[in-house]
Amino acid sequence: MNALKYKIIMPSGLVFDFTNMLGEGRLQPAEVEQALQSQGQEANKAVEKIRVEGIAKNHLSKDGQPEHVYFPRMPYVADGNPNTEESITKLIRFSKALRKQDAVVFLGVGGSYLGNKVLFDAFGGLHWNGNRILRQGQPRIYFSGNNMDPVDCNSLVFELQRLQAKGEICNKRLKVMLIPISKSGTTLETISAFTYFYDVLSKEPNIELDCTVVTDLRADVANAPLLQLAEKFGWERFDIKEGIGGRFCVMTDPGLVTMAALGSDIEEFLRGAREMDTYCKNAPLEENPALLNALLKFMAYKRGSEIEVFMPYSMHLKSLSEWYVQLLAESLGKRYDREGNLVHYGRTPIVAVGTTDMHAQTQQHQDGRRNKVVQFLEVANPADEAVIHNPFPDVPYFARFEGMNMNNSLKAALEANEAALTSDNRYSARYIMPKLSEYFLGQLMYFLMLSVAYEGELADVDAYDQPGVEVYKRIMKEKL
């Protein structure tokens, strides 16, 4: 075995630095190396079997039937995979067609919302809807159906009405596209919001309404309400593939429709994921970043680190933390292992963003219970820079800000936070993206999915079901 590398630099330049997971009061190199050769070896074999066969040990659907696990096939565009040449071409055509729309409203919850919001925040962001130059002909983008909040729904209706009233469009009628995303077509939050918006907006004389549905296209139409509507009205439709759980679906139609609306590079996003998968499956165990990430956090969990704080130092990536919360919580938060033993496994994920939460959460991270791993994420070369010049020369205090580069200050804040935790022998790790692009986001998001798959094997839990979610759904349906 080669010397275990706790700082792995990918050929792309993406860096995974796990150095601070080891040290006094933390993990020791000898025990990690031993675990890698035993448990890590077995986890690696199990994930490779999933890649090849599409089958995970003892995994069943919510109906108790055998169900494939096909997320490792998402990056590879080929017939029979979740993404094909035909499906990518269809998405690219859809992207061009959406340029005729003034606004697109995505309606989804859970995996049908969180991954899409990551893509929007990364490549659109706060100013997308108000900046025609930024949009370059693509439509305004909104999200709903992720919470049954009447105030939020009505606020969006008001915003669409305002666009028409203020003459912020070129057409006499505002063109709005509703896109509900639901595999069953019966997801309560999504279908409630879709029904509400369709009813209200279709009655507006100055709004021209169209719809596209994203659902299971293989379902029995008699039991698939979105498919029934698509057939009745001739709406465009995209597929939710079998074997791709909601929290993994961002690299298939349910997520890629948002990239289409943004006009972003779908093929680069998938290329990043594909190169990450290829690297991990071909690398020696000690150089596989996804396996090492899973093993170190699994071992830290066994020593009491039951909380993981995911902390990007970029406002554009705060929603990545929120997506990761679902990925980690639903995948690994399990009552039983795959043999039926009571284990109550899983870390609690926490959303944070630097530097904001250095003023909110860091006190707890630094001085609170020693039960956390803090996962930092840095963007080495952000798209923009901001250099401060002193507009108040008569006030001596402000002289210190002359020439300050905000990006350098942001990096210094991350390094200070990291150093403070290390000085108290607390667990942390750092991922470094060279820049925020479709390629690097594809690499990182797929890395996180693959890490969860490895940890599921290490913990011997089903990382692809969600029985706890089904409990509240059943009770809620009874109440309604």
Side-chain angles (χ1 to χ4, degrees):
M1 173 178 169
N2 298 325
L4 208 158
K5 297 179 180 179
Y6 294 102
K7 183 176 182 179
I8 297 174
I9 303 175
M10 300 279 295
S12 65
L14 189 62
V15 177
F16 300 100
D17 190 347
F18 305 112
T19 307
N20 292 325
M21 293 295 291
L22 293 94
E24 183 182 346
R26 290 162 285 171
L27 302 175
Q28 299 303 309
E31 64 179 327
V32 175
E33 290 168 17
Q34 182 179 6
L36 185 64
Q37 288 305 306
S38 55
Q39 294 166 287
Q41 187 105 249
E42 291 305 308
N44 194 52
K45 290 178 182 176
V47 170
E48 182 57 24
K49 182 177 180 180
I50 294 172
R51 283 193 182 100
V52 174
E53 300 178 7
I55 296 174
K57 176 184 171 184
N58 294 353
H59 173 61
L60 301 174
S61 71
K62 65 181 180 182
D63 300 319
Q65 301 300 313
E67 184 178 57
H68 290 109
V69 175
Y70 284 150
F71 89 86
R73 302 183 183 188
M74 295 186 301
Y76 301 92
V77 179
D79 289 343
N81 280 1
N83 292 309
T84 65
E85 293 286 353
E86 183 182 5
S87 71
I88 298 301
T89 299
K90 182 179 177 181
L91 284 160
I92 293 170
R93 283 202 310 266
F94 187 61
S95 177
K96 294 176 181 177
L98 285 178
R99 296 170 71 89
K100 298 177 182 178
Q101 299 292 329
D102 297 302
V104 173
V105 181
F106 289 100
L107 302 148
V109 68
S112 298
Y113 161 69
L114 292 164
N116 301 53
K117 189 62 163 55
V118 174
L119 301 175
F120 175 75
D121 287 352
F123 307 122
L126 180 65
H127 303 293
W128 177 266
N129 288 336
N131 189 327
R132 291 183 180 180
I133 296 174
L134 179 63
R135 291 200 306 274
Q136 295 186 333
Q138 296 300 130
R140 296 168 179 83
I141 295 173
Y142 302 93
F143 294 91
S144 190
N146 55 301
N147 194 324
M148 290 197 299
D149 182 343
V151 176
D152 187 66
C153 284
N154 284 324
S155 295
L156 181 49
V157 170
F158 176 79
E159 168 65 9
L160 295 173
Q161 292 170 331
R162 184 193 68 82
L163 288 177
Q164 176 63 47
K166 291 191 71 174
E168 295 187 19
I169 58 169
C170 299
N171 310 298
K172 292 183 178 179
R173 301 179 73 201
L174 184 75
K175 293 185 176 181
V176 177
M177 172 74 77
L178 299 180
I179 306 182
I181 306 172
S182 168
K183 183 172 184 177
S184 65
T186 61
T187 308
L188 183 60
E189 294 90 342
T190 300
I191 302 307
S192 296
F194 169 65
T195 305
Y196 180 76
F197 285 123
Y198 190 88
D199 176 59
V200 172
L201 298 178
S202 64
K203 295 174 181 176
E204 288 280 343
N206 292 321
I207 290 180
E208 182 179 325
L209 192 61
D210 195 3
C211 300
T212 292
V213 304
V214 186
T215 191
D216 181 359
L217 299 185
R218 297 164 308 287
D220 179 0
V221 176
N223 299 314
L226 287 180
L227 275 185
Q228 292 174 27
L229 293 175
E231 290 197 358
K232 178 180 179 179
F233 294 106
W235 294 337
E236 181 69 274
R237 62 203 80 176
F238 288 89
D239 198 13
I240 297 182
K241 301 290 187 180
E242 187 258 340
I244 306 290
R247 55 192 178 270
F248 294 92
C249 74
V250 67
M251 293 177 181
T252 58
D253 282 0
L256 298 181
V257 289
T258 295
M259 293 205 86
L262 288 160
S264 296
D265 196 328
I266 292 170
E267 291 163 301
E268 274 294 282
F269 186 53
L270 295 178
R271 183 173 74 89
R274 184 165 59 251
E275 292 188 6
M276 175 60 69
D277 188 60
T278 300
Y279 183 89
C280 289
K281 71 181 179 182
N282 292 327
L285 292 182
E286 63 273 11
E287 296 178 23
N288 180 339
L291 175 59
L292 189 56
N293 181 61
L295 181 66
L296 292 170
K297 289 176 179 173
F298 169 74
M299 294 178 72
Y301 171 81
K302 290 295 187 179
R303 292 190 171 193
S305 292
E306 58 190 9
I307 293 173
E308 181 173 352
V309 181
F310 195 93
M311 193 170 190
Y313 274 66
S314 168
M315 289 303 295
H316 278 267
L317 290 174
K318 182 179 181 181
S319 55
L320 180 67
S321 290
E322 295 164 343
W323 171 81
Y324 183 63
V325 162
Q326 184 195 19
L327 179 68
L328 192 70
E330 280 193 351
S331 298
L332 300 179
K334 298 296 160 67
R335 181 184 298 265
Y336 301 106
D337 67 15
R338 293 184 296 192
E339 306 302 327
N341 301 307
L342 186 68
V343 291
H344 290 298
Y345 184 82
R347 294 185 301 287
T348 299
I350 301 292
V351 174
V353 65
T355 61
T356 303
D357 286 305
M358 292 175 68
H359 297 266
Q361 297 183 29
T362 292
Q363 174 62 38
Q364 170 59 236
H365 303 168
Q366 189 70 39
D367 285 354
R369 289 187 62 193
R370 307 180 74 88
N371 62 347
K372 288 170 281 294
V373 172
V374 180
Q375 179 58 68
F376 297 112
L377 171 58
E378 174 188 351
V379 180
N381 300 292
D384 296 310
E385 284 195 348
V387 178
I388 300 173
H389 297 291
N390 179 18
F392 310 112
D394 296 336
V395 181
Y397 173 81
F398 289 96
R400 70 185 66 188
F401 294 102
E402 176 60 38
M404 178 184 289
N405 184 306
M406 282 192 179
N407 183 49
N408 293 342
S409 301
L410 188 67
K411 184 175 181 178
L414 189 162
E415 291 174 347
N417 197 353
E418 183 181 58
L421 292 169
T422 303
S423 71
D424 196 37
N425 299 317
R426 290 177 180 256
Y427 291 107
S428 71
R430 194 196 315 192
Y431 309 148
I432 305 172
M433 299 174 71
K435 63 179 181 179
L436 181 52
S437 68
E438 291 94 334
Y439 173 80
F440 285 114
L441 187 62
Q443 283 213 315
L444 184 62
M445 293 183 81
Y446 187 80
F447 159 84
L448 293 170
M449 289 186 262
L450 195 55
S451 291
V452 159
Y454 283 124
E455 189 171 349
E457 299 302 328
L458 292 166
D460 196 25
V461 297
D462 187 347
Y464 311 104
D465 67 356
Q466 52 184 56
V469 174
E470 301 307 323
V471 176
Y472 93 78
K473 285 184 176 180
R474 175 180 54 77
I475 295 172
M476 189 172 179
K477 286 180 180 177
E478 292 173 357
K479 288 180 175 292
L480 294 174

